[in-house]
């Protein structure tokens, strides 16, 4: 199915609708903005089930760019938040999509288009709008507040865990034997322990991701990212986009712009980087962003550098790990020079995945940076503290108590922990073999899309039952069944209507020096929404769009 | 020569340099931002001549995204505005280009990329940065002020000429016989004269284009656009881009950000449209932008609609001429409905070229609109008042006096008129046959690139010497030889260094009702810069980039 016309798709158990622009060659209308829809949607609003009747011959011409007089229909859909979108007027929908696409283009809510050469290398070529949800995802106020409140506790927890070198080494010792990547990180960590390297200025830019369990409405943590937390820039823009759309169309869809929380992710991250730079206390030093060779999400990063420059007059340089290796130099006092420039803060937007280290050169670079006096975001300890194995260890009884004193805070953290077990927990493994649909098997290695669901959980567990070391490469996690809601997902200029599930990420910033904590804050949020796969009933790989939330 | 590497090009008599990003497959460096340059540039700064020695084996690696500590070299290049750029540090240049590309991407300085399908139809897909000059073009303060001062006089002149139906018809009567497009416009104009149609609210959004003659430094008018004056949106952004770049790098290149004049083109046009909408006095009516079927410059237009919405809460709809024909309806009181929506203001961003009227349908639409009570921008009279033939007639002795009283204003206008003659002026034609290099032969039809230069002037004149009606399809104009300056032109992510000439456009907005003039203002500016062709010594077709000015 190509860009430029309208059609119905059906997956195994659900249908979806694509709305897009009709090119003149198809319908012989010299009209760039006329659109059609082939389907009529009927949502049963009392349940999560919906059906779409496809009538592929009934092209209803929609006007795109057509103005809507908001006053005329002000009394429509004023109650039932998020219910109104089910029977949204197709003209209105098309107009909203068009306006949203324009908004993205004018306001830098863009990514590189992989079909265009150099789009991940040269800025300003091969751009397209970032994929987004047309409307924010409904989210209960209480759980939102809960997620926000947790962030500062997690920030503090990560810092304390990072200081306990033995805890990190011990907990990851079995993983080390089966996971080469974690092993290399641990090697660097060991070297730092040996030379008694102290990180006096510690900067964490984290993102803690959650889902809401459909049945219990519990807020459950999916993971805590301590390296390369992405989308502080584009995420803020999506919140702005949604506020803007609801300012214009809110009355029509029964949603109030004021219920989209303000998003401070970008300024929060920029300010933390700026303050870390200030702590380093060398006006000539720069912030170095460690980047991948090709990066189609470069604009998210450029937003951060731009705001850092605007708000703190701090200059950013961008270097790959290979460049850091070839251009990097450590002065006797620990100062890191890269290409002759003194580096105050190293901000990693690469280095979190094994593929970022194709040769020894990249590991050399990582070690060089770790040995330096530059502020690392993250340090090797912060990086390790964010691994899934550590997450699972922290969920064990009495482990949080090792790092935190406040009983109330410990209780709050524990409340958001999903069930997490290692594969040497016979009770958990037995249950997962019996009811694999209630579990997810997560490999230690980073990068989504590797999780194992359903019958594959049983098969994999059986394979690993010989007590092999390989067990340590996985953790077992409670399967979360989030609420699936009808959603308009917009990608490549096409609006696609489908059932989707959302993941809420809360950004956190933490900065301290030898004496005191300078920053410990919840800094904005990110929602990613994906089409829910009927096979899995969980998170489907791919087709994630950026989103924001609507407080209910 | 493709995107992604650096090379030397040579045209008939000049060489040029391309700076761009080196892909790793060429140089085997996993570095997205490393660049090279194959040429060393040596400008003779005392003249306009420059030479480039190409040493294609000497790749000098440049760092892109590398930070520059502005304080370190603050004392460099602080005098001689625009001279410093000749020996600009290649690292610095590369950094500026990179920053500029990022700035464009984040701030909506974008156009559709014709190599990507649907990029002229669907917003948000197939975007790339608009082509731009890296630095503003030097322009003398006196001539800048002169150009600004002229705008309100031209605005008033156009309004008065538009009211003189007989002048328009008489002056264009010979053109009518040989130019079908002008003939059709005149037919509509005649019908309006017959029915005594009065335009009580008259809105003009003009742009008067000038070049500076190299020898005399005279400011000479190229043309006055009364329809579809483009780039009020992107033009402003280029001024902002240049201010921003000079804020960061001004000390390095010896240029001060404050010397780039603030550009109010976007708000000026939006405010005039908003006020015209208010004059129409129907809160439910919309502004209709008449657009082409495909429009890769759509973002310029979207900026205008966005600011109109933000500043005046006015809704915009976009319609092609064919759509206006099929959906348009005239109520007995003259109200124009399009797709059921009442139209207060018709803003043409199409309809200026014969190709915009592929069938009778489009002419029907134009007539329908002209018959309506909507404010037309422009009306048929304003459109005709902007034709080259009228420009030439106004340049004749005693013609301006027919429309304006103020002798001082008349003198000011006349001072900027280049020599303009019709082909029935035997004296001018004789001279042009003898010295064709001093003339340009301009066809009446719109859309650049059709001008005739050099020996072709003589050949065409000889062909037309039989006194044929065809003569009336052309006007003869004094050839302007503008200053050619070394310039960095950036297109498709590539920085190209070449000699270039610039054209300054001044935007003007004019609005009046039955009683009084409501708006008569100079509203910002646009500079377009093109590589100067050594063959022509004048404007080469293509490769125009957006630019701004630097007052000297």
């Amino acid at each position: 199915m190509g860009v430029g016309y309208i059609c119905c798709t059906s997956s195994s158990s659900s249908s979806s609708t694509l709305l897009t622009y009709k090119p003149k060659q198809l319908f012989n209308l010299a009209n760039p903005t006329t659109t059609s829809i082939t389907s009529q949607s009927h949502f049963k609003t009392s349940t999560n089930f919906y059906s779409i009747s496809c009538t592929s011959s009934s092209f209803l011409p929609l006007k795109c760019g057509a103005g809507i007089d908001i006053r005329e229909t002000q009394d429509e859909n004023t109650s039932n938040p998020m219910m109104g979108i089910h029977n949204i007027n197709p003209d209105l929908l098309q107009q909203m999509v068009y306006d949203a696409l324009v908004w993205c283009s004018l306001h830098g809510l863009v990514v590189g288009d992989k079909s265009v050469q150099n789009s991940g290398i040269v800025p300003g070529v091969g751009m397209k709008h970032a994929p987004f949800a047309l409307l924010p995802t409904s989210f209960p106020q209480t759980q939102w507040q809960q997620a926000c409140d947790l962030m500062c506790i997690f920030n503090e927890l990560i810092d304390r865990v990072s200081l306990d070198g033995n805890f990190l080494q011990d907990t990851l010792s079995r993983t080390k034997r089966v996971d080469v990547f974690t092993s290399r990180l641990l090697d660097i960590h060991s070297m730092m322990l040996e030379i008694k390297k102290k990180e006096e200025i510690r900067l964490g830019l984290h993102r803690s991701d959650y889902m809401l369990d459909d049945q219990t409405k519990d807020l459950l943590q999916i993971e805590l990212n301590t390296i390369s937390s992405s989308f502080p820039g584009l995420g803020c823009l999506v919140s702005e986009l949604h506020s803007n759309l609801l300012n214009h169309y809110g009355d029509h869809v029964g949603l109030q712009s004021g219920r989209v929380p303000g998003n401070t992710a970008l300024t929060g991250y920029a300010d933390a980087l700026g303050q870390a730079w200030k702590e380093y206390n060398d006006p000539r030093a720069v912030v170095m962003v460690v980047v991948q060779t090709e990066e189609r999400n470069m604009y998210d990063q450029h937003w951060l550098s731009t705001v850092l420059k605007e708000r703190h007059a701090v200059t950013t340089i961008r270097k790959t790990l290979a460049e850091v290796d070839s251009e990097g130099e450590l002065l006797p006092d620990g100062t890191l020079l890269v290409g002759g420039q003194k580096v105050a803060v190293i901000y990693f937007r690469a280095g979190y995945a094994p593929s970022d280290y194709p040769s020894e050169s990249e590991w050399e670079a990582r070690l060089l940076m770790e040995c330096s006096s530059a502020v690392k975001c993250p340090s090797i300890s912060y990086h390790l503290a964010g691994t899934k194995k550590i997450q699972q260890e922290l969920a064990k009884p009495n482990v949080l108590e090792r790092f935190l004193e406040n009983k109330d805070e410990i209780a709050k953290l524990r409340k958001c922990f999903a069930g997490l077990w290692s594969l040497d927990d016979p009770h958990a493994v037995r249950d997962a073999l019996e009811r694999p649909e209630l579990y997810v098997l997560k490999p230690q290695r980073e990068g989504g899309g590797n999780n194992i669901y359903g019958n594959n959980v049983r098969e994999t567990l059986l394979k690993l039952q010989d007590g092999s070391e390989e067990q340590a490469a996985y953790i077992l996690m409670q399967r979360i069944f989030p609420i699936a809601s009808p959603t308009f997902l917009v990608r490549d200029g096409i609006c696609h209507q489908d059932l989707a599930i959302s993941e809420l990420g809360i950004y956190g910033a933490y900065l301290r020096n030898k004496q005191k904590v300078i920053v410990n804050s919840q800094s904005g949020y990110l929602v990613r929404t994906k089409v829910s796969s009927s096979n899995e009933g969980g998170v489907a790989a791919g087709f994630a769009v950026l989103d924001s939330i609507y407080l209910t």
Side-chain angles (χ1 to χ4, degrees), chain A:
Chain A
M1 153 195 349
V3 172
Y5 49 94
I6 315 320
C7 51
C8 254
T9 56
S10 58
S11 61
S12 54
S13 74
S14 73
S15 297
S16 60
T17 310
L18 295 183
L19 300 176
T20 185
Y21 303 98
K22 183 179 64 178
K24 64 174 179 171
Q25 56 271 34
L26 260 182
F27 302 103
N28 199 26
L29 272 181
N31 176 354
T33 54
T34 297
T35 58
S36 294
I37 172 172
T38 61
S39 309
Q40 293 171 305
S41 308
H42 307 284
F43 287 100
K44 294 185 182 174
T45 53
S46 58
T47 74
N48 286 323
F49 173 80
Y50 75 112
S51 70
I52 294 178
S53 70
C54 287
T55 52
S56 62
S57 61
S58 69
F59 287 90
L60 308 177
L62 304 188
K63 296 304 155 195
C64 192
I68 303 295
D69 186 334
I70 287 174
R71 280 154 301 202
E72 276 184 299
T73 50
Q74 210 156 21
D75 51 349
E76 283 180 26
N77 301 322
T78 47
S79 59
N80 295 334
M82 304 315 260
M83 290 303 167
I85 72 160
H86 304 166
N87 46 23
I88 198 168
N89 173 314
D91 280 5
L92 179 70
L93 175 62
Q94 200 57 59
Q95 178 62 33
M96 286 176 69
V97 172
Y98 192 91
D99 283 6
L101 291 171
V102 168
W103 196 95
C104 292
S105 312
L106 302 187
H107 295 87
L109 181 40
V110 294
V111 294
D113 179 347
K114 70 166 184 277
S115 71
V116 180
Q117 213 193 353
N118 285 332
S119 60
I121 298 173
V122 183
V125 305
M127 289 182 284
K128 63 178 183 179
H129 72 90
F132 62 90
L134 185 62
L135 292 168
T137 291
S138 200
F139 204 90
Q141 173 85 45
T142 310
Q143 283 84 336
W144 158 252
Q145 197 52 55
Q146 186 192 347
C148 292
D149 292 347
L150 286 169
M151 200 62 235
C152 295
I153 314 176
F154 274 120
N155 287 338
E156 189 65 45
L157 175 67
I158 291 292
D159 190 62
R160 300 205 180 172
V161 170
S162 80
L163 295 175
D164 192 338
N166 292 335
F167 173 76
L168 291 173
Q169 288 284 340
D170 293 348
T171 306
L172 293 165
S173 62
R174 281 197 67 203
T175 312
K176 184 179 167 78
R177 274 174 271 166
V178 291
D179 185 82
V180 180
F181 181 64
T182 307
S183 171
R184 296 298 302 254
L185 296 177
L186 283 166
D187 287 345
I188 295 173
H189 182 249
S190 294
M191 287 185 237
M192 296 308 111
L193 289 179
E194 271 166 39
I195 63 171
K196 294 191 168 37
K197 179 88 166 63
K198 290 274 174 289
E199 298 298 331
E200 292 187 343
I201 308 169
R202 301 194 292 275
L203 172 64
L205 295 177
H206 308 137
R207 198 187 66 222
S208 181
D209 293 335
Y210 306 91
M211 279 187 171
L212 274 191
D213 184 75
D214 190 6
Q215 286 206 309
T216 62
K217 308 302 176 209
D218 282 348
L219 180 84
L220 295 176
Q221 189 181 43
I222 304 296
E223 64 177 349
L224 178 58
N225 304 282
T226 58
I227 183 168
S228 295
S229 303
S230 56
F231 297 119
L234 300 193
C236 279
L237 287 171
V238 174
S239 301
E240 268 187 64
L241 165 67
H242 284 163
S243 294
N244 195 278
L245 281 175
L246 295 189
N247 276 333
H248 291 148
Y249 298 106
D251 290 338
H252 289 268
V253 292
L255 300 175
Q256 299 154 35
S257 163
R259 286 182 174 270
V260 178
N263 199 339
T264 56
L266 183 56
T267 52
Y269 267 28
D271 288 353
L273 283 165
Q275 285 181 274
W277 175 86
K278 203 172 157 198
E279 282 297 311
Y280 187 83
N281 198 24
D282 185 332
R284 294 189 171 212
V286 298
V287 169
M288 176 170 75
V289 186
V290 177
V291 296
Q292 294 183 335
T293 309
E294 286 200 46
E295 178 58 89
R296 298 215 162 72
N297 193 26
M298 68 167 87
Y299 304 103
D300 181 54
Q301 301 168 2
H302 288 316
W303 270 116
L304 195 50
S305 295
T306 297
V307 172
L308 182 59
K309 183 84 185 176
E310 275 171 11
R311 288 171 73 100
H312 300 276
V314 173
T315 295
T316 300
I317 63 172
R318 296 169 63 80
K319 298 287 174 187
T320 61
L321 285 167
E323 285 175 300
V324 173
D325 183 47
S326 64
E327 301 172 23
E329 186 189 347
L330 213 55
L331 300 188
D333 69 349
T335 300
L336 177 66
L337 299 181
V338 178
Q341 288 183 293
K342 209 178 283 186
V343 176
V345 180
I346 305 163
Y347 172 52
F348 286 88
R349 288 298 288 262
Y352 53 86
S355 57
D356 290 337
Y357 301 81
S359 74
E360 280 306 302
S361 172
E362 288 77 16
W363 286 113
E364 292 288 338
R366 184 71 191 259
L367 179 62
L368 183 82
M369 291 187 281
E370 200 61 34
C371 290
S372 79
S373 64
V375 182
K376 294 123 209 124
C377 179
S379 65
I380 200 82
S381 318
Y382 268 51
H383 187 169
L384 289 170
T387 55
K388 294 194 184 74
K389 182 65 194 170
I390 297 294
Q391 182 189 10
Q392 181 245 308
E393 185 70 15
L394 289 170
K396 281 187 181 169
N398 302 317
V399 180
L400 283 180
E401 283 77 357
R402 187 164 164 180
F403 302 102
L404 301 172
E405 302 84 34
N406 188 315
K407 293 265 183 291
D408 186 43
E409 289 183 351
I410 290 170
K412 280 181 179 173
L413 291 190
R414 202 156 269 148
K415 192 161 181 281
C416 82
F417 287 170
L420 287 157
W421 307 271
S422 78
L423 298 201
D424 54 12
D425 182 326
H427 187 77
V429 170
R430 198 180 319 124
D431 195 57
L433 284 168
E434 282 168 22
R435 305 187 295 171
E437 68 280 5
L438 299 183
Y439 292 85
V440 184
L441 205 50
K442 290 190 161 191
Q444 173 60 36
R445 47 184 287 234
E446 288 298 323
N450 302 313
N451 295 343
I452 295 167
Y453 298 93
N455 272 329
N456 294 331
V457 170
R458 181 185 282 136
E459 280 171 30
T460 311
L461 285 176
L462 287 172
K463 264 188 237 163
L464 297 171
Q465 282 244 317
D466 55 0
S468 77
E469 288 285 351
E470 270 299 305
Q471 283 188 356
Y474 295 89
I475 63 159
L476 197 56
M477 186 170 171
Q478 166 195 353
R479 174 92 167 263
I480 299 167
F481 292 92
I483 301 159
S485 312
T487 304
F488 296 107
L489 307 102
V490 186
R491 194 172 219 183
D492 293 324
I494 299 172
C495 182
H496 179 107
Q497 184 179 312
D498 214 328
L499 275 183
I501 56 174
S502 296
E503 192 170 317
L504 170 68
I506 301 286
Y507 291 101
Y510 185 89
L511 174 68
R512 64 163 298 148
N513 61 19
K514 204 171 173 178
Q515 287 80 37
K516 62 177 191 297
V517 175
I518 298 158
V519 177
N520 184 8
S521 65
Q522 177 267 327
S523 310
Y525 63 99
L526 170 76
V527 180
R528 280 166 307 162
T529 293
K530 304 174 189 184
V531 170
S532 77
S533 153
S534 56
N535 294 332
E536 298 294 354
V539 181
F543 203 12
V545 299
L546 300 178
D547 201 349
S548 73
I549 63 170
Y550 187 84
L551 295 179
T552 57

